[in-house]
Structure formats: structure tokens, C-alpha cells
Amino acid sequence: MRDYLGALLTMKILVAVKRVVDYNVKVRVKSDHSNVDIANVKMSMNPFDEIAVEEAVRLKEKGIAEDITVVSIGPAKCQETLRTALALGADQAIHVETDANLEPLAVAKCLKALVEREQVQLVILGKQAIDGDNNQTGQMLAALLDWPQATFASAVECQADKVAVTREIDGGLETLSLTLPAVITTDLRLNEPRYASLPNIMKAKKKPLNTIPVTELNIDVSPRLTTVKVEAPAERDAGIKLESVEQLVEKLKVEGLI
Ligand code: AMP
């Protein structure tokens, strides 16, 4: 029992937070169709990663976790995202700096290296980053670490060296019991993230934020994929207003829909 409690009280959590185009921004495709244009658009923490940070903070508030490290992999501006996570309650941050747009496998390899370096027992990630909608990084990380994984979590409960995760699946809910160490990815209904208070934003400026170049991790982050073309969705025709059900039926007949 004491071993269990000891393990729990020293549980370290790693949370991966990605800086993405804010979910309110309507992105435009570049004229050469090589990608979307993110010059001068508002960037924010990936919404599922805010949920991941919130869940880690709640586990710490319940006395289940002792320490939360947040990590972001990308250009210098990722530090703003990390400061937000620190203001929400994380203890320290690691910025893995690279100007390359790393694919999920490369991100998973970076995270694996940090998990081993930081000796964490639980990794929480978003189920997907809303820029690429890949939904791959958590699964790849669990595979590389050979750790149990629970994706699409809508409830998390830690009991001794196990964590029970309720998942949203097609037919309803499924609850899995994982033995720690483990990887969890968050779904939308897991929690409602708090807002950072002004005093906590000020305090976050003094929390440790360590920047390391991606080359220091000694891993192969070279791309495996080539983007052939990026296209905007087809424009939809404007709708029309009809006066009556009869008109609607007539219109549907004319269109050959009934
Ligand atoms: P994805 O597989 O790209 O949809 O991303 C799933 C999750 O992996 C995100 O919600 C983040 O938690 C994490 N992640 C992906 N890319 C990064 C990155 N560059 N830096 C930090 N975390 C990331």
C-alpha cells in the first residue's frame, strides 16, 4: 500500500501542447496550393490540449500527481503557448525548437525521448491537433514506448497504479483499466478548461521554461510524407427561402429529388 501511495504521490505527468491556428479563424489556401496561409493569423493552444492541461491540473489538485511538465515542439512562438499552459497550472515547460513542421511520427519520437529523460508515468495529449486533424501522435507514442493507451477519454480516474479511462465510442461509452505508465488522449467532453487568472499569468512568467534544439534529442525527424496539393472545400450555392410546403414539394420534384 505504501508503495502504491509513494508511486502516486510522485507521479509525474507530461502534457503535449501544440500551437495551432485559432479555431475561430477561417484559413485560406495559398495561391500555389502548397498549404494553408498562416501568415498573420491568430494562433492558440490546440483546444484538445487545453483539455489535457486541465485534466493534469485536476489530478494534481486531487493530490494524485505531483508534477506537470508541458512540452511543445515547433518554432520560437510555441513559448507563448507554453506560458499559457504554465498559467493554467503546469509546473515547468520544455520547448523543443524547430522551424520544420514535424509529422506525427517525428513528434512522437521527440515525446518518447522526453518521457525517458523526465521519467514520467502518464502522458496526456489531445486526441487530435485541429490543424492537420491527424489523430496519430498519441497512438504512435504509446506504440514507441510500448505503453498502454486510451484514446478519446471522456473521464479519467486514477486508482493506485491503475487508471480507469472512459472512452467515447460509436455505440456509447467504454471503460478501460490501464496499468501505469500509460498514454491518454483527450476528447471534448473530458472537462471544461479553466481560464488563466491574471495573478497566475504573472506567476507563469517566473516558472521554468527550458528550450532545447530538436537536434539535441538525436532522433530522425525527416519527413515521410509529401503534400501533393491543398484545396479549399467547394463553395456551396446560396440557399433560397420558400413560402410554403407546396412550393418545397414542387421544387424538390423539379430538382428530381423526390
Ligand atoms: P495529431 O496526431 O497531429 O492530431 O496531434 C495529436 C496530439 O499530439 C495533439 O493534440 C498534441 O497533444 C500532440 N502534438 C502534436 N503535435 C505536437 C507538437 N508539435 N507539439 C506538441 N504536441 C503536439
Side-chain angles (χ1 to χ4, degrees), residues 185-199:
T185 73
T186 61
D187 212 333
L188 206 57
R189 275 169 287 275
L190 178 58
N191 60 49
E192 208 171 302
R194 69 197 66 190
Y195 290 100
S197 66
L198 191 57

Side-chain angles (χ1 to χ4, degrees), residues 10-165:
T10 54
M11 179 155 88
K12 290 176 86 176
I13 304 180
L14 188 77
V15 182
V17 294
K18 187 173 187 189
R19 184 170 179 269
V20 296
V21 173
D22 187 90
Y23 68 95
N24 285 309
V25 172
K26 194 169 178 300
V27 286
R28 268 186 241 219
V29 173
K30 285 185 182 173
S31 54
D32 63 359
H33 294 278
S34 60
N35 210 331
V36 290
D37 191 357
I38 58 163
N40 304 318
V41 301
K42 183 176 179 223
M43 306 289 282
S44 302
M45 188 187 302
N46 181 43
F48 295 107
D49 304 351
E50 282 181 13
I51 295 171
V53 173
E54 175 67 30
E55 199 59 25
V57 173
R58 290 186 189 189
L59 288 173
K60 189 175 172 191
E61 286 171 346
K62 285 185 203 155
I64 291 168
E66 193 201 26
D67 184 84
I68 304 166
T69 301
V70 280
V71 54
S72 195
I73 302 157
K77 289 262 183 192
C78 289
Q79 292 183 13
E80 288 170 14
T81 312
L82 288 169
R83 287 282 171 214
T84 306
L86 292 171
L88 292 171
D91 298 292
Q92 64 265 318
I94 302 174
H95 172 216
V96 179
E97 190 163 21
T98 170
D99 285 330
N101 194 5
L102 298 193
E103 291 170 5
L105 179 60
V107 173
K109 286 185 196 168
C110 291
L111 294 175
K112 176 177 185 268
L114 295 176
V115 163
E116 286 162 355
R117 196 188 261 209
E118 302 293 315
Q119 297 281 301
V120 302
Q121 286 80 44
L122 182 63
V123 186
I124 313 182
L125 307 90
K127 73 168 177 182
Q128 72 191 56
I130 61 165
D131 51 1
D133 275 349
N134 290 312
N135 179 6
Q136 293 175 8
T137 310
Q139 295 88 327
M140 286 179 169
L141 175 64
L144 291 174
L145 288 166
D146 197 18
W147 283 9
Q149 61 171 306
T151 50
F152 305 89
S154 61
V156 170
E157 216 171 300
C158 287
Q159 305 136 339
D161 64 339
K162 300 244 187 308
V163 54
V165 180

